[in-house]
Amino acid sequence: MSYSRSDLDGTDPKRPSDHIDADERGEITSPKLGVVGWLRWGWRQLTSMRTAIVLLLLLAIAAIPGSIFPQRMANPNGVTQWKSDNPDLYPLVDNLQLFDVYQSVWFSAIYLLLFVSLIGCIIPRIKHHAKALRTLPPRTPVRLSRLADYRDEHVAEGDAEAAVDAAQAQLKKQGYRVTRYDGRGAFSVSAERGYARETGNLLFHISLVGVLLSVGLGNQFAYTGQAVITEGETFVNSLLNYSSMNQGRLVGDDALAPYAMTLDSFDVNYVPYGEAGTGQAGDFSANVTITEPDGSTSEDSVRVNHPLHVHNDSVYLLGNGYAPKITVRNADGDVVYSQAVPFLPQDSNLTSLGVVKVTDGMPEQLGMVGFFYPTQSELDTGAMTSIFGDLLNPVLTLNVYEGDLGIDDGTPRSVYTLDPTGMDQLTGGDTGIDSLELSPGDTVDLPNGLGTVTFDDVTPDDADPSTVGYTESVARFASLQVHHDVSALWVLTFAVLGVLGLASAFFIPRRRMWVKATPDGSGGVRLEYAGLARGEDPAIRDVVDKLADSHLSSLSH
Amino acid sequence: MSAEDTVTFATWSLIMLWTAIAVYVLAFISYAVDLANRSQASAKAKDREAALVGATGSGSVAVAERPTESEVPQRFVMARIGTTLTWIAFLLHLGAVILRGIGAGRVPWSNMFEFAMTSTLLFTAVYLGALFWKDLRYIGAFMTGLVTVLLGAGAMPSIYVDITPLSDPLKSVWLVIHVFVASLATGFLALSFALSVAQLLQTRREHRIREDESRASKRSILRTLPSAENLEGLAYRFAIIGFIFWTFTLIAGAIWANDAWGRYWGFDTKEVWTFIIWVLYAGYIHARATRGWRGNRSAWLSIVGFVAVLFNFSIVNIFFQGLHAYSGLE
Ligand code: HEM
C-alpha cells in the first residue's frame, strides 16, 4: 500500500491496530510492565480484529450443536424422547447444556465477549468519526505525482486560480467536501467524500448492539401463553386460564388486559378426493368475537400468517382439533360429567387422543383414555385409524379406568394425560371387555353397571341432516398462542438500520481527490489531478480520468 | 385450473427441465475443454513471451508481467460456446420454472424440488449477469457443473414431488420474498466461492514462481486467470453482495416466522444454520480487513461459508428436524 497510514491522518476512520490499513507500528507486541500495562494490553487484544474473527468463528461453531440436539426451548418433547432413547448419555449431554445451547454458559460467554469487544471497538471509532466529520480534507500532498492514480495535463493559456475554482465547484457538486490550499505559487483544491462509508459501518455495528439489547430487555417484559378454546366457548385473558404460560421476569401481575375471546366457529378446507394433495387441510380460520372490558365487542379471525392484534397482544393460531362432547351419567342417571373434551391430533388425518376425568358423583373416580377418529377406517391389522381429516365417519373409542386419579393431592397433572397407576382398568387391554365404541349420538353402558357414557351430537337443530351428515356433529377447538412482546418492533428497527448501514458501508466509496494548478510562467497552466482510494474502490482510476476530462472540457469553453 | 392442466404443465416443465440439464452438461463440457485449452494456450503464450524477452533483452519474466485481466487472450472459442450453451440452458430452465409456476398457480419454490429448480436458475442468472461486467468464464465450468449437479439431484425421483396446494404457513408474501432473496444470495456466494478457490490455486502458483522464476512460463490454466489479488477482490465483491442479501433473508425470515409461528426467532434448525452462515461470512469480511488474515485464510473462510450454505440446502433440509419441514418429502 502506497498511501499514508490511517492514524497519521485525522479524517481516516479509526481502526483496530491489526486492521489491514492500520499503522504497523501499533501492532501489539508485548505488554508494558505493570498492572495498567497488562490491562491495556488485554483490552487491546479483546478489541482487535483478530479477536473479533475468532469469536465470530467460535460463535458459529458453538451454534451447531443446537441444530443437532433437540432444544428444550423449541422442542421439549424431543428432549424427553432423546432421554428415553439414550438414558446413559442423557445426564452427560444435559450437564454440557447441549439441550439448552442458546442459554448455555459457554454460548453466552462467547456472544457476551463478542459484544464487549464490539462495544470496545466502536466507541473510540464513534468518537474519532464524529471529529473526522468536522475536519477539513487534508492538505494537498506536495508531490501529487507520487500517487498511483494521477494525471498530468497542460493548457497553453489560462488562469490557474479560475481553473481550481472551477474544479472546486465541480467536486462540490459531486458531493465532495472541499477545501482550498493555495500558496507557494500554486492553487489546489483538496476534496474528500464517502464519510457515509464509516457512518454506515458504525451504524451497522451499533444496530447489532441495539438488536441484542432489545431482545434481552424485551424478553423481560414479554409473555407467551397458550390457550385451548372450543367452538362456542369463551376465554378470558387472565393467567389462570392459560394452559401454559411463559413470562419474563418483569411482567407485572396486572400486565394482562382483561378482554375475553369467544370462538364462534372454526373453518377449515380439505382438498377433495382425486386432486393433488388429497385430504390436505388448509385455510384454517378461528373466527372469534373479542369482548372488551367495557363490554363492547368486535369480530375478527385468527389465521396462520395473520395473527390477531388485540391490546398489544398478538394472537396466533397454533393448532386445532376436535373436542367431542362427552356426557357421563352414574347408575342413578344423574349427569356427573358433561364437557367438550379437546382431543390432541396425532397424525395428519387427525386421529386424536384425549382424556376424560370424572372426579365426583361415582363410587370411585373414573378416568377414560380414548381415541377419536374423524373418518374411521380399519388397517389390515384390524387396528383403527383415521383416513381423512373431516368428519365423515366419526368414531370415539374409550378405555375406562376406576380408582384414584391422583389429582386431589395437589400435584399438578396435565389434563391431557392420565396416569393409570393405582387404577383398575375396566375395558380394553387385558380386561377381556371391549373398549367402548361410539358414534355421535350414541350412548353405551359403562361396565359393572356404573352408568352410561354419551357421545353427544352437537349438530345444530336447524341443520339439514341430509346435507351436513356428520360434518357438524363434533365441535372443533383452536389452540391459540397469545404473545406479548413490544420489543419486536425495536428489533426490527435496528435490523433495518443495520442493513442500511451495511449497504452504505459496502457501496459508498470513500475517496480523496486533488486538483492542483500551477502557472507555468508563460501564460499556460500545468494541471494535476490525483485520487486516493480509502478501502475497496476499484473505480478510482476511472473517477480521476472522468474528473480530469470534464474539468478540461469546462476550461475550454 | 383443472387437475389435468396442472399435470400437463408439470409434465412439460419437467421435460424442459431435463433438456436444460442436458444442455448444462454440454456447457460444462465446453467450459472444461476451454480450461484444458487454456493450459495449451498458456504454453503458446510462453513462446511469444520468450520472443519478446529476446527482443527487448530484458531478463526474466516477472510475476507482474503475467497476463492481467485486460490482457487475457480473448479468443477462447470453447468458452464462447460454453457461454452460448449456458444461455440456451438458462432459457430452457427459465421456461421450466415458469411452466411449473403456471401449473401450480403460485411461485414455483415451495418444496425442495422447486427450490432447487428456482435457486439454480438464479445461480445461472447471477453468473450470466456477472459476465456482462467481467470476463469470468474461467469459473463457467464450476458454475454449470454446480447447477447440473444440484438440479439433477433435485429432479431425482426421491426428491421430486408433484404440484400440491400450499400448506397454510406458506401462504404468505414472504414466501415470495424470503425464498427468492435467499436463492439470489446463494448465487452470489457460489460465484464468490469459485473465485476463492481459484484464488487459493493462484496464490500457490505465485508462491512457487517466487521461489523459482522458471515456473512462471510453465503451462498452466492459471496463467490465463487474473492474479490472486484480483481474484480475491472479485470474490470479496460478490461475497458482500451475497452477504447483504443473506442479511435480508435472515430478517425477512424472522418477520415471516413472527407471523406464521408466533415468534420472530426460535432457534429452529434452519434458523440456526442461516445464522451460522451469516456469522461465518461476517468472519470472512473481517478477515479480509485484518492483517495476517487477508489472502489464504480469508479465502478459506469464504469456502467454509459456502460449504455451510450447501450443507444447509441439502443435509439440513432432508435430515434435520424442524419447523421448516417444507421439502415436501415424507
Ligand atoms: C457481533 C459481531 C460482529 C459482526 C456480526 C460484525 C459484522 C461486520 C460486518 C458485516 C462488516 C462489514 C461492513 C463494513 O465493512 O462496514 C464489519 C466490518 C468491520 N467490523 Fe465488524 N462485526 C462484529 C464485531 C466487530 C468487532 C468486535 C470489531 C472490532 C474488533 C469489529 C470491527 C470491524 C471493522 C473495523 C470493520 C471494517 C472492516 C473494513 O475496513 O472493511 N467488528 N463487521
Side-chain angles (χ1 to χ4, degrees), chain A residues 347-367:
Chain A
D347 64 23
S348 58
N349 287 323
L350 274 85
T351 298
S352 310
L353 180 64
V355 166
V356 173
K357 293 180 182 176
V358 183
T359 48
D360 298 299
M362 288 287 186
E364 279 191 84
Q365 289 185 328
L366 215 58

PDB file of all heavy atoms in Angstrom, chain A residues 347-367:
ATOM      1  N   ASP A 347     -51.951 -37.426  14.079  1.00  0.00           N
ATOM      2  CA  ASP A 347     -51.451 -37.534  12.710  1.00  0.00           C
ATOM      3  C   ASP A 347     -52.189 -36.546  11.808  1.00  0.00           C
ATOM      4  O   ASP A 347     -53.067 -35.803  12.275  1.00  0.00           O
ATOM      5  CB  ASP A 347     -51.560 -38.980  12.181  1.00  0.00           C
ATOM      6  CG  ASP A 347     -53.011 -39.450  12.079  1.00  0.00           C
ATOM      7  OD1 ASP A 347     -53.913 -38.599  11.986  1.00  0.00           O
ATOM      8  OD2 ASP A 347     -53.231 -40.677  12.100  1.00  0.00           O
ATOM      9  N   SER A 348     -51.828 -36.545  10.537  1.00  0.00           N
ATOM     10  CA  SER A 348     -52.370 -35.509   9.663  1.00  0.00           C
ATOM     11  C   SER A 348     -53.848 -35.736   9.349  1.00  0.00           C
ATOM     12  O   SER A 348     -54.531 -34.833   8.900  1.00  0.00           O
ATOM     13  CB  SER A 348     -51.569 -35.433   8.371  1.00  0.00           C
ATOM     14  OG  SER A 348     -51.596 -36.693   7.737  1.00  0.00           O
ATOM     15  N   ASN A 349     -54.342 -36.957   9.588  1.00  0.00           N
ATOM     16  CA  ASN A 349     -55.777 -37.185   9.409  1.00  0.00           C
ATOM     17  C   ASN A 349     -56.541 -37.068  10.723  1.00  0.00           C
ATOM     18  O   ASN A 349     -57.685 -37.528  10.825  1.00  0.00           O
ATOM     19  CB  ASN A 349     -56.018 -38.544   8.766  1.00  0.00           C
ATOM     20  CG  ASN A 349     -55.626 -38.524   7.295  1.00  0.00           C
ATOM     21  OD1 ASN A 349     -55.834 -37.531   6.614  1.00  0.00           O
ATOM     22  ND2 ASN A 349     -55.026 -39.609   6.824  1.00  0.00           N
ATOM     23  N   LEU A 350     -55.866 -36.478  11.681  1.00  0.00           N
ATOM     24  CA  LEU A 350     -56.486 -36.154  12.962  1.00  0.00           C
ATOM     25  C   LEU A 350     -56.995 -37.332  13.785  1.00  0.00           C
ATOM     26  O   LEU A 350     -58.008 -37.225  14.484  1.00  0.00           O
ATOM     27  CB  LEU A 350     -57.600 -35.106  12.773  1.00  0.00           C
ATOM     28  CG  LEU A 350     -57.042 -33.684  12.806  1.00  0.00           C
ATOM     29  CD1 LEU A 350     -56.549 -33.287  11.425  1.00  0.00           C
ATOM     30  CD2 LEU A 350     -58.053 -32.694  13.317  1.00  0.00           C
ATOM     31  N   THR A 351     -56.333 -38.468  13.687  1.00  0.00           N
ATOM     32  CA  THR A 351     -56.515 -39.473  14.721  1.00  0.00           C
ATOM     33  C   THR A 351     -56.082 -38.772  16.003  1.00  0.00           C
ATOM     34  O   THR A 351     -54.980 -38.238  16.062  1.00  0.00           O
ATOM     35  CB  THR A 351     -55.602 -40.688  14.475  1.00  0.00           C
ATOM     36  OG1 THR A 351     -55.958 -41.275  13.244  1.00  0.00           O
ATOM     37  CG2 THR A 351     -55.709 -41.693  15.610  1.00  0.00           C
ATOM     38  N   SER A 352     -56.968 -38.704  17.006  1.00  0.00           N
ATOM     39  CA  SER A 352     -56.684 -37.835  18.146  1.00  0.00           C
ATOM     40  C   SER A 352     -56.809 -38.583  19.458  1.00  0.00           C
ATOM     41  O   SER A 352     -57.583 -39.533  19.576  1.00  0.00           O
ATOM     42  CB  SER A 352     -57.664 -36.652  18.159  1.00  0.00           C
ATOM     43  OG  SER A 352     -57.713 -36.022  16.908  1.00  0.00           O
ATOM     44  N   LEU A 353     -56.074 -38.095  20.438  1.00  0.00           N
ATOM     45  CA  LEU A 353     -56.001 -38.755  21.730  1.00  0.00           C
ATOM     46  C   LEU A 353     -56.532 -37.809  22.794  1.00  0.00           C
ATOM     47  O   LEU A 353     -56.170 -36.643  22.813  1.00  0.00           O
ATOM     48  CB  LEU A 353     -54.529 -39.094  21.996  1.00  0.00           C
ATOM     49  CG  LEU A 353     -54.170 -39.800  23.281  1.00  0.00           C
ATOM     50  CD1 LEU A 353     -54.792 -41.189  23.319  1.00  0.00           C
ATOM     51  CD2 LEU A 353     -52.655 -39.914  23.383  1.00  0.00           C
ATOM     52  N   GLY A 354     -57.379 -38.346  23.675  1.00  0.00           N
ATOM     53  CA  GLY A 354     -57.920 -37.470  24.706  1.00  0.00           C
ATOM     54  C   GLY A 354     -58.193 -38.204  25.999  1.00  0.00           C
ATOM     55  O   GLY A 354     -58.164 -39.427  26.059  1.00  0.00           O
ATOM     56  N   VAL A 355     -58.470 -37.441  27.036  1.00  0.00           N
ATOM     57  CA  VAL A 355     -58.634 -37.993  28.378  1.00  0.00           C
ATOM     58  C   VAL A 355     -59.860 -37.365  29.043  1.00  0.00           C
ATOM     59  O   VAL A 355     -60.089 -36.169  28.924  1.00  0.00           O
ATOM     60  CB  VAL A 355     -57.370 -37.705  29.222  1.00  0.00           C
ATOM     61  CG1 VAL A 355     -57.633 -37.949  30.694  1.00  0.00           C
ATOM     62  CG2 VAL A 355     -56.208 -38.541  28.725  1.00  0.00           C
ATOM     63  N   VAL A 356     -60.621 -38.212  29.715  1.00  0.00           N
ATOM     64  CA  VAL A 356     -61.771 -37.724  30.485  1.00  0.00           C
ATOM     65  C   VAL A 356     -61.526 -38.074  31.943  1.00  0.00           C
ATOM     66  O   VAL A 356     -61.114 -39.189  32.259  1.00  0.00           O
ATOM     67  CB  VAL A 356     -63.061 -38.426  29.997  1.00  0.00           C
ATOM     68  CG1 VAL A 356     -64.235 -38.058  30.898  1.00  0.00           C
ATOM     69  CG2 VAL A 356     -63.350 -38.058  28.548  1.00  0.00           C
ATOM     70  N   LYS A 357     -61.727 -37.094  32.837  1.00  0.00           N
ATOM     71  CA  LYS A 357     -61.532 -37.380  34.250  1.00  0.00           C
ATOM     72  C   LYS A 357     -62.817 -37.037  35.009  1.00  0.00           C
ATOM     73  O   LYS A 357     -63.187 -35.871  35.129  1.00  0.00           O
ATOM     74  CB  LYS A 357     -60.366 -36.566  34.808  1.00  0.00           C
ATOM     75  CG  LYS A 357     -59.025 -36.993  34.211  1.00  0.00           C
ATOM     76  CD  LYS A 357     -57.865 -36.196  34.763  1.00  0.00           C
ATOM     77  CE  LYS A 357     -56.578 -36.638  34.080  1.00  0.00           C
ATOM     78  NZ  LYS A 357     -55.424 -35.852  34.482  1.00  0.00           N
ATOM     79  N   VAL A 358     -63.468 -38.059  35.509  1.00  0.00           N
ATOM     80  CA  VAL A 358     -64.696 -37.847  36.283  1.00  0.00           C
ATOM     81  C   VAL A 358     -64.318 -37.913  37.752  1.00  0.00           C
ATOM     82  O   VAL A 358     -63.956 -38.972  38.260  1.00  0.00           O
ATOM     83  CB  VAL A 358     -65.749 -38.914  35.949  1.00  0.00           C
ATOM     84  CG1 VAL A 358     -67.040 -38.631  36.692  1.00  0.00           C
ATOM     85  CG2 VAL A 358     -65.981 -38.991  34.453  1.00  0.00           C
ATOM     86  N   THR A 359     -64.374 -36.779  38.432  1.00  0.00           N
ATOM     87  CA  THR A 359     -63.859 -36.728  39.799  1.00  0.00           C
ATOM     88  C   THR A 359     -64.937 -36.991  40.847  1.00  0.00           C
ATOM     89  O   THR A 359     -64.654 -37.476  41.921  1.00  0.00           O
ATOM     90  CB  THR A 359     -63.224 -35.355  40.085  1.00  0.00           C
ATOM     91  OG1 THR A 359     -64.147 -34.344  39.646  1.00  0.00           O
ATOM     92  CG2 THR A 359     -61.927 -35.198  39.324  1.00  0.00           C
ATOM     93  N   ASP A 360     -66.159 -36.629  40.532  1.00  0.00           N
ATOM     94  CA  ASP A 360     -67.205 -36.747  41.555  1.00  0.00           C
ATOM     95  C   ASP A 360     -68.439 -37.445  40.996  1.00  0.00           C
ATOM     96  O   ASP A 360     -68.656 -37.466  39.791  1.00  0.00           O
ATOM     97  CB  ASP A 360     -67.629 -35.352  42.048  1.00  0.00           C
ATOM     98  CG  ASP A 360     -66.474 -34.613  42.688  1.00  0.00           C
ATOM     99  OD1 ASP A 360     -65.934 -35.117  43.696  1.00  0.00           O
ATOM    100  OD2 ASP A 360     -66.090 -33.545  42.149  1.00  0.00           O
ATOM    101  N   GLY A 361     -69.233 -37.982  41.909  1.00  0.00           N
ATOM    102  CA  GLY A 361     -70.535 -38.491  41.519  1.00  0.00           C
ATOM    103  C   GLY A 361     -70.547 -39.971  41.214  1.00  0.00           C
ATOM    104  O   GLY A 361     -71.586 -40.544  40.891  1.00  0.00           O
ATOM    105  N   MET A 362     -69.375 -40.598  41.247  1.00  0.00           N
ATOM    106  CA  MET A 362     -69.267 -42.037  41.015  1.00  0.00           C
ATOM    107  C   MET A 362     -68.773 -42.687  42.303  1.00  0.00           C
ATOM    108  O   MET A 362     -68.174 -42.021  43.150  1.00  0.00           O
ATOM    109  CB  MET A 362     -68.254 -42.305  39.899  1.00  0.00           C
ATOM    110  CG  MET A 362     -68.752 -41.927  38.527  1.00  0.00           C
ATOM    111  SD  MET A 362     -69.980 -43.138  38.001  1.00  0.00           S
ATOM    112  CE  MET A 362     -70.286 -42.634  36.340  1.00  0.00           C
ATOM    113  N   PRO A 363     -68.977 -43.971  42.443  1.00  0.00           N
ATOM    114  CA  PRO A 363     -68.475 -44.668  43.632  1.00  0.00           C
ATOM    115  C   PRO A 363     -66.983 -44.423  43.812  1.00  0.00           C
ATOM    116  O   PRO A 363     -66.497 -44.166  44.921  1.00  0.00           O
ATOM    117  CB  PRO A 363     -68.752 -46.139  43.339  1.00  0.00           C
ATOM    118  CG  PRO A 363     -69.782 -46.154  42.253  1.00  0.00           C
ATOM    119  CD  PRO A 363     -69.696 -44.872  41.521  1.00  0.00           C
ATOM    120  N   GLU A 364     -66.256 -44.516  42.695  1.00  0.00           N
ATOM    121  CA  GLU A 364     -64.830 -44.183  42.722  1.00  0.00           C
ATOM    122  C   GLU A 364     -64.570 -43.239  41.572  1.00  0.00           C
ATOM    123  O   GLU A 364     -65.372 -43.154  40.648  1.00  0.00           O
ATOM    124  CB  GLU A 364     -63.977 -45.441  42.534  1.00  0.00           C
ATOM    125  CG  GLU A 364     -63.797 -46.251  43.802  1.00  0.00           C
ATOM    126  CD  GLU A 364     -62.733 -47.323  43.593  1.00  0.00           C
ATOM    127  OE1 GLU A 364     -61.543 -46.992  43.736  1.00  0.00           O
ATOM    128  OE2 GLU A 364     -63.103 -48.450  43.251  1.00  0.00           O
ATOM    129  N   GLN A 365     -63.416 -42.551  41.607  1.00  0.00           N
ATOM    130  CA  GLN A 365     -63.109 -41.678  40.487  1.00  0.00           C
ATOM    131  C   GLN A 365     -62.956 -42.519  39.230  1.00  0.00           C
ATOM    132  O   GLN A 365     -62.543 -43.682  39.270  1.00  0.00           O
ATOM    133  CB  GLN A 365     -61.831 -40.892  40.758  1.00  0.00           C
ATOM    134  CG  GLN A 365     -62.044 -39.834  41.844  1.00  0.00           C
ATOM    135  CD  GLN A 365     -60.824 -38.962  42.036  1.00  0.00           C
ATOM    136  OE1 GLN A 365     -59.694 -39.428  41.862  1.00  0.00           O
ATOM    137  NE2 GLN A 365     -61.045 -37.709  42.419  1.00  0.00           N
ATOM    138  N   LEU A 366     -63.282 -41.868  38.098  1.00  0.00           N
ATOM    139  CA  LEU A 366     -63.274 -42.590  36.842  1.00  0.00           C
ATOM    140  C   LEU A 366     -62.351 -41.862  35.866  1.00  0.00           C
ATOM    141  O   LEU A 366     -62.408 -40.633  35.742  1.00  0.00           O
ATOM    142  CB  LEU A 366     -64.696 -42.609  36.290  1.00  0.00           C
ATOM    143  CG  LEU A 366     -65.172 -43.832  35.540  1.00  0.00           C
ATOM    144  CD1 LEU A 366     -65.069 -45.061  36.431  1.00  0.00           C
ATOM    145  CD2 LEU A 366     -66.615 -43.628  35.101  1.00  0.00           C
ATOM    146  N   GLY A 367     -61.495 -42.618  35.184  1.00  0.00           N
ATOM    147  CA  GLY A 367     -60.678 -41.997  34.135  1.00  0.00           C
ATOM    148  C   GLY A 367     -60.945 -42.710  32.824  1.00  0.00           C
ATOM    149  O   GLY A 367     -61.187 -43.922  32.803  1.00  0.00           O
TER     150      GLY A 367
END
